[in-house]
Amino acid sequence: MTGLTNLAAGDVAAQGLMVKAERVCKNFGHVEVLKGIDLEVQQGEVMCVVGPSGSGKSTFLRCINHLEKVDAGRLWVDGHLVGYRQRGDKLYELREKEVAAQRRDIGMVFQRFNLFPHMTALQNVMEAPMLVKGESKDAAKARAEQLMERVGLSDRMGNYPSQLSGGQQQRVAIARALAMQPKLMLFDEPTSALDPELVGEVLDVMRDLAREGMTMVVVTHEMGFAREVGDSLVFMDGGVVVEQGVPREVLANPQHARTQAFLSKVL
């Protein structure tokens, strides 16, 4: 790997950062998808990432929890280098078991709900704490029931995914991610696969999480949500951060011509 600096993990934590990306690059074959991303997310911040399809938004999100390996640069979550350990000036990739341990603190909600079809909604939420953290069935069930109530689905605990609407399935997916008690939540266009009338119920749950102080990075096309809930807005295009700032200011008065062109089509 190239493009590395000697910023210590403790320095990142001391800055109050939940996420720090430093010159992050990612290639798929000969295609440069991320071309040196520098971003910082404070603890308790809601960062909304917008941009056209193919701009690298989802790839960057997947790099944060090492679902994609970066080709250059570095990423920290809560002061810990993601996917690697440093010895001197060199980075060494962590074993899969160590990467999995890091992912316990990072919840991720995908476009598609990825629920286990053979499990009830409640069982879907219970599974990871028991399997990954070794929680007892009773403890996992108690938290799962609280989370199902939190996302407004206390009357759907015994339903299978096929018996739930898309919006309900996505709320179960959010509850499942929260069951691991993460420090950080990543949302990859969580409403893009939903019928328009179901979008609101998912965004309401996300608003509640923001009010409770959850640190969130949200890749989204929902500009109203970004304006209302986001603390920061990042516009990406062509694998770079083109513009970022306070959502209301960026959306009302974008400074870069590319941002202006994009927003003119989506607002």
Side-chain angles (χ1 to χ4, degrees):
M1 290 180 61
T2 60
L4 304 180
T5 69
N6 289 316
L7 182 63
D11 296 333
V12 178
Q15 295 171 32
L17 299 177
M18 181 59 73
V19 180
K20 181 176 177 66
E22 189 176 81
R23 299 199 298 275
V24 170
C25 298
K26 175 65 184 177
N27 305 324
F28 290 114
H30 298 297
V31 180
E32 288 184 282
V33 180
L34 300 177
K35 303 174 184 177
I37 301 294
D38 291 302
L39 280 177
E40 295 181 352
V41 184
Q42 301 287 334
Q43 293 185 19
E45 178 180 348
V46 178
M47 175 180 282
C48 293
V49 184
V50 303
S53 296
S55 59
K57 309 182 302 295
S58 295
T59 298
F60 175 66
L61 209 65
R62 292 171 66 85
C63 286
I64 293 176
N65 65 0
H66 207 58
L67 286 175
E68 298 289 354
K69 301 174 185 178
V70 301
D71 292 310
R74 292 197 244 185
L75 271 162
W76 292 265
V77 171
D78 198 26
H80 299 285
L81 195 60
V82 174
Y84 299 90
R85 72 165 51 85
Q86 183 172 343
R87 291 181 190 152
D89 291 334
K90 292 187 177 181
L91 293 184
Y92 298 88
E93 189 166 3
L94 298 178
R95 296 189 300 257
E96 183 56 38
K97 186 175 181 180
E98 296 171 300
V99 173
Q102 287 188 332
R103 288 197 189 113
R104 294 179 190 178
D105 292 330
I106 306 172
M108 187 157 184
V109 178
F110 300 88
Q111 295 179 39
R112 296 292 174 178
F113 326 120
N114 298 335
L115 300 177
F116 295 117
H118 62 289
M119 293 184 180
T120 65
L122 187 69
Q123 289 169 338
N124 265 280
V125 179
M126 291 170 57
E127 181 72 3
M130 291 192 299
L131 193 64
V132 179
K133 288 188 170 182
E135 286 190 8
S136 70
K137 184 176 181 180
D138 288 345
K141 183 180 180 182
R143 184 180 302 115
E145 288 173 345
Q146 291 174 345
L147 289 169
M148 288 291 286
E149 184 173 355
R150 185 176 177 183
V151 300
L153 291 173
S154 56
D155 60 337
R156 293 286 187 269
M157 295 187 196
N159 288 47
Y160 290 90
S162 62
Q163 299 170 317
L164 300 173
S165 70
Q168 289 169 337
Q169 289 185 64
Q170 192 62 295
R171 283 187 281 159
V172 173
I174 294 173
R176 179 181 59 183
L178 292 173
M180 292 293 287
Q181 299 176 293
K183 299 175 182 177
L184 169 68
M185 285 286 285
L186 308 175
F187 292 88
D188 187 8
E189 299 188 25
T191 60
S192 65
L194 301 179
D195 292 333
E197 66 267 23
L198 301 178
V199 168
E201 61 192 49
V202 174
L203 295 182
D204 283 344
V205 173
M206 295 170 64
R207 286 188 186 92
D208 288 342
L209 287 176
R211 280 193 288 266
E212 293 166 8
M214 175 64 74
T215 309
M216 300 158 61
V217 182
V218 185
V219 171
T220 184
H221 294 297
E222 302 292 339
M223 299 302 165
F225 175 86
R227 182 187 295 108
E228 174 194 349
V229 181
D231 298 302
S232 59
L233 180 71
V234 172
F235 173 67
M236 286 181 62
D237 189 34
V240 301
V241 174
V242 176
E243 187 168 345
Q244 65 183 109
V246 176
R248 290 179 183 274
E249 295 175 3
V250 174
L251 293 173
N253 188 29
Q255 300 300 300
H256 196 282
R258 183 65 188 93
T259 318
Q260 294 168 4
F262 174 76
L263 292 177
S264 71
K265 295 175 182 177
V266 299
L267 291 178

